[in-house]
Amino acid sequence: MEEKLNSVNATLNRQLYDIQMAEKKKDELVLYLAHDIRTPLTSVIGYLKLLEEMPDISKEQQDKFIHVTLDKALRLEVLVNEFFDITRFNRQDIELATTEIDLYYMLMQLSDEVYPLLAPEHKKVEIRADENCKVYGDADKLARIFNNILKNAIAYSNPDSTIVISAWEEPPGTVILFSNQGQTISPEEQQRIFDKFYRRDEARQTNSGGAGLGLAIAKELVDLHGGTIRVMSENGRTTFKVCLPRRKMPTA
């Protein structure tokens, strides 16, 4: 009888633990989605402000701003809908819709979308990649990865500087570098930079509303693709290196 009671108790403890972990994963996903919702919302607000403050812009540029704003608003709608389905999601249940992607075109799109973040401090994005450069993965997830890294580079780069995005294909996959000139990240900070809720500069991130999730999300999604992400920083130059395989590696 004692053995049976111990067995029942152990089973109940395991079930309780599983419930707690499921709730924790659900809470994490809510935070992830909240962070991702802020990304297109920032673009929508930024471009609408430009349209309001620049009444004399050309019709071509105005049409471009409106197109990007609409695209981000539609993306925002998708993410809001995910909130309503939150109970059906678990971090471990995320599946990748993998396909071959035109990496150069994706990076060009991302650089256009962040223009409102670049303009106030006269920053630029320079893409150094072959126009035929490809990457294999989930287009939506890869866009989140690159957007989060790029926004981080913009936030911590010097005014009037250029953020360089380099990409090339090499066995066994594709390498993408995001490099910016700014404050050097110490070795201690580099060890924690992909941790959830870690913020390098508390005051600066608080003012910008950052929750310290952008790079953590990027790493999670890179891991899902079977890739790697690392940071290198010295002499005021910080580079994030993403390596993605040609095919998603099998998970354990």
Side-chain angles (χ1 to χ4, degrees):
M1 180 63 69
E2 184 177 355
E3 289 179 359
K4 288 183 179 180
L5 288 174
N6 288 337
S7 177
V8 169
N9 187 52
T11 300
L12 290 174
N13 286 336
R14 282 195 302 271
Q15 291 176 342
L16 178 61
Y17 175 78
D18 290 341
I19 292 172
Q20 290 173 339
M21 290 303 296
E23 286 298 314
K24 180 181 178 182
K25 289 176 180 177
K26 188 176 72 173
D27 290 343
E28 287 181 356
L29 187 55
V30 170
L31 290 170
Y32 276 28
L33 288 173
H35 178 275
D36 283 341
I37 281 175
R38 191 158 48 226
T39 297
L41 182 59
T42 298
S43 293
V44 169
I45 293 173
Y47 274 100
L48 288 176
K49 281 185 176 180
L50 288 174
L51 288 169
E52 181 182 46
E53 296 168 1
M54 301 168 60
D56 298 327
I57 61 174
S58 66
K59 180 66 165 56
E60 181 182 359
Q61 197 169 19
Q62 185 182 60
D63 289 344
K64 180 180 179 181
F65 287 179
I66 292 173
H67 174 76
V68 175
T69 302
L70 177 60
D71 182 66
K72 295 293 102 182
L74 292 173
R75 174 62 186 151
L76 185 60
E77 181 184 31
V78 171
L79 291 171
V80 169
N81 288 337
E82 287 189 17
F83 261 115
F84 291 101
D85 296 330
I86 192 66
T87 55
R88 297 192 293 110
F89 285 87
N90 249 331
R91 162 68 179 80
Q92 63 192 25
D93 296 329
I94 296 176
E95 295 184 0
L96 300 179
T98 53
T99 185
E100 188 176 69
I101 299 161
D102 185 331
L103 179 60
Y104 181 82
Y105 178 72
M106 175 180 281
L107 294 176
M108 287 295 294
Q109 273 193 316
L110 289 174
S111 65
D112 286 342
E113 290 169 6
V114 298
Y115 177 76
L117 303 179
L118 297 165
E121 294 189 332
H122 308 288
K123 299 177 184 180
K124 298 179 182 178
V125 172
E126 178 182 339
I127 298 176
R128 300 176 183 174
D130 189 283
E131 292 186 10
N132 297 316
C133 190
K134 307 291 183 183
V135 67
Y136 189 86
D138 184 304
D140 180 64
K141 304 298 188 298
L142 291 180
R144 290 192 191 188
I145 293 169
F146 300 150
N147 189 284
N148 287 354
I149 299 173
L150 182 54
K151 284 183 64 180
N152 182 81
I154 294 171
Y156 289 101
S157 58
N158 294 331
D160 301 297
S161 64
T162 299
I163 298 158
V164 179
I165 307 176
S166 307
W168 64 90
E169 296 180 58
E170 67 176 36
T174 306
V175 177
I176 308 98
L177 303 181
F178 295 79
S179 184
N180 70 275
Q181 193 71 34
Q183 184 177 2
T184 301
I185 305 174
S186 70
E188 293 76 19
E189 288 178 310
Q190 292 180 44
Q191 294 293 323
R192 301 181 57 196
I193 201 163
F194 297 109
D195 292 348
K196 294 169 189 172
F197 311 116
Y198 177 70
R199 297 179 292 187
R200 285 176 52 203
D201 185 328
E202 290 292 336
R204 182 172 187 175
Q205 287 285 29
T206 298
N207 291 337
S208 65
L213 281 171
L215 294 178
I217 291 172
K219 186 178 187 308
E220 291 261 1
L221 296 177
V222 168
D223 290 344
L224 277 176
H225 281 81
T228 60
I229 180 172
R230 58 180 296 226
V231 61
M232 301 160 283
S233 186
E234 60 180 2
N235 300 323
R237 171 68 61 178
T238 296
T239 301
F240 285 86
K241 181 178 182 179
V242 177
C243 298
L244 297 167
R246 297 198 187 281
R247 293 291 185 273
K248 181 177 180 292
M249 301 297 289
T251 55

